[in-house]
Amino acid sequence: MPELKLLENALPVAPLKVVALSSAAKLGKSVDNYLVDFRKHTKTGIKSDPAFNGYVEPTYLMNASCPRFGTGEGKGVFNESVRGKDLFILVDVCNSSITYTMNGYTNHMSPDDHYQDLKRIIAAATGKARRINVIMPYLYEGRQHKRNGRESLDCAYALEELSAMGVENFITFDAHDPRVQNATPLCGFDNFSANYQFVKSLLRSEEDMIIDKEHTVVISPDEGALDRAVYFANVLGVNAGMFYKRRDYTKVVNGKNPIVAHEFLGEDIDGKDVIIIDDIISSGESMIDTAKQLKSMNAKRIFILATFGQFTNGFAAFDEAYEKCIFDKIITTNLIYTNPQLKAKPYYIEADCAKFIAQIIDFTNHNLSVSNVITPTEKIREAVHLYNERQSYEV
């Protein structure tokens, strides 16, 4: 674990507790396992100090739930005391696999339902927790982060609402536009990226890549992902390129202006491995179209990396594209719910971020800078260098 000495010489803000809502139960359990292991092996004198009773526990998960009445109404319930605890609430607003019964009908929970459950749990704490931190990997309504004309400003309003309920820190990943944090300027807002987890998964899945400027290029599928692609390219020591979406602004289809064409800006990619990196695969149409154009430009292999794999239109289009050798691998994280069907696909790789979240929680609980858990660029570059030399490496 990075900067372990800092943890050993720091004091926790309060006893640590994690609430993993049903939407993030699996991820929460994995995070808890890492936290238990961290605390068990941390060499600190406070383990035996009665004032810090509860520093080492067999689990940090709290017994909490959000049951519903037959009408569909719900409530948040804690089955143990939260008084004085440093509370971390983990929620996945994208998990559509969770269902509830309303008037005899089975409904799948929407992001709005998960957001309501989050507020119920915060309200159930009734102001007794020492501090409330929300870990929301996919920021609720993050794509509705700015107002254009007569429309709602959902993400900013949600942050304001949670802040008013007592949330002190927001922890998220690859926010669509992190400037939305300006809605709550007095709250902590940490926005992380899973670059290290992507590199680790990619290097472990491929044995014959050569990652340098002559053999590999990183591509942004649109203007919004350019900063992410440029950073990733710099870390790997390769060049970057981008597509920009030419849209028809005279029409609105499914709430957005339809894409007319993807235009490429960048150097020649003939014979090179291409890494496409973005924050979200939603329906996946633009991602597949981007891959098709890259293949038409004689790209060697195409690896698609996205923090959140939503696949709202299913997997048929991706299956067909894979069979036609349009792309080679898709890597997404386990920060949101992953459909079991996707995990069974031959082209899919999951990047595990549970340890990363556990490190963030541990450092935040000790009131230490979370910059300590961000993997140094040098470590990634060293791993890439050893990989290119076909030497053993640690990622």
Side-chain angles (χ1 to χ4, degrees), residues 143 222-223 244-251 253 256-262 286:
R143 297 172 77 176
D222 54 38
E223 310 93 294
Y244 73 90
K245 298 175 181 177
R246 190 150 50 85
R247 296 180 180 271
D248 183 355
Y249 289 98
T250 64
K251 301 177 182 177
V253 179
K256 58 186 178 181
N257 304 107
I259 298 170
V260 176
H262 287 87
S286 61

Side-chain angles (χ1 to χ4, degrees), residues 195-204 206-218 231-239 273 275 305 375-395:
N195 294 307
Y196 176 64
Q197 287 69 28
F198 281 141
V199 170
K200 179 167 63 175
S201 300
L202 182 61
L203 297 189
R204 287 179 174 176
E206 301 298 320
E207 298 181 351
D208 59 345
M209 290 182 68
I210 301 177
I211 302 178
D212 59 23
K213 292 183 178 181
E214 285 70 40
H215 299 87
T216 309
V217 64
V218 174
Y231 172 79
F232 200 69
N234 285 335
V235 170
L236 297 181
V238 301
N239 291 323
D273 288 329
I275 300 172
L305 280 54
T375 304
T377 299
E378 291 73 20
K379 184 175 180 180
I380 298 177
R381 286 178 172 169
E382 177 65 16
V384 170
H385 170 71
L386 294 176
Y387 172 84
N388 284 337
E389 297 294 325
R390 298 301 183 260
Q391 299 180 31
S392 61
Y393 58 91
E394 179 64 29
V395 290

Side-chain angles (χ1 to χ4, degrees), residues 6 55 69 79 107 109 124 139 174 176 181 194 199 218 238 243-244 256 275 279 284 320 351 360 374:
L6 292 174
Y55 186 81
F69 301 100
N79 297 310
N107 289 345
M109 291 183 69
L139 191 60
D174 276 329
H176 201 64
Q181 67 184 284
V199 170
V218 174
V238 301
F243 282 85
Y244 73 90
K256 58 186 178 181
I275 300 172
D279 57 342
E320 181 181 354
I360 293 169
I374 300 174

Side-chain angles (χ1 to χ4, degrees), residues 270-282:
D270 185 15
K272 294 182 179 180
D273 288 329
V274 176
I275 300 172
I276 307 174
I277 187 166
D278 204 356
D279 57 342
I280 303 171
I281 296 177
S282 183

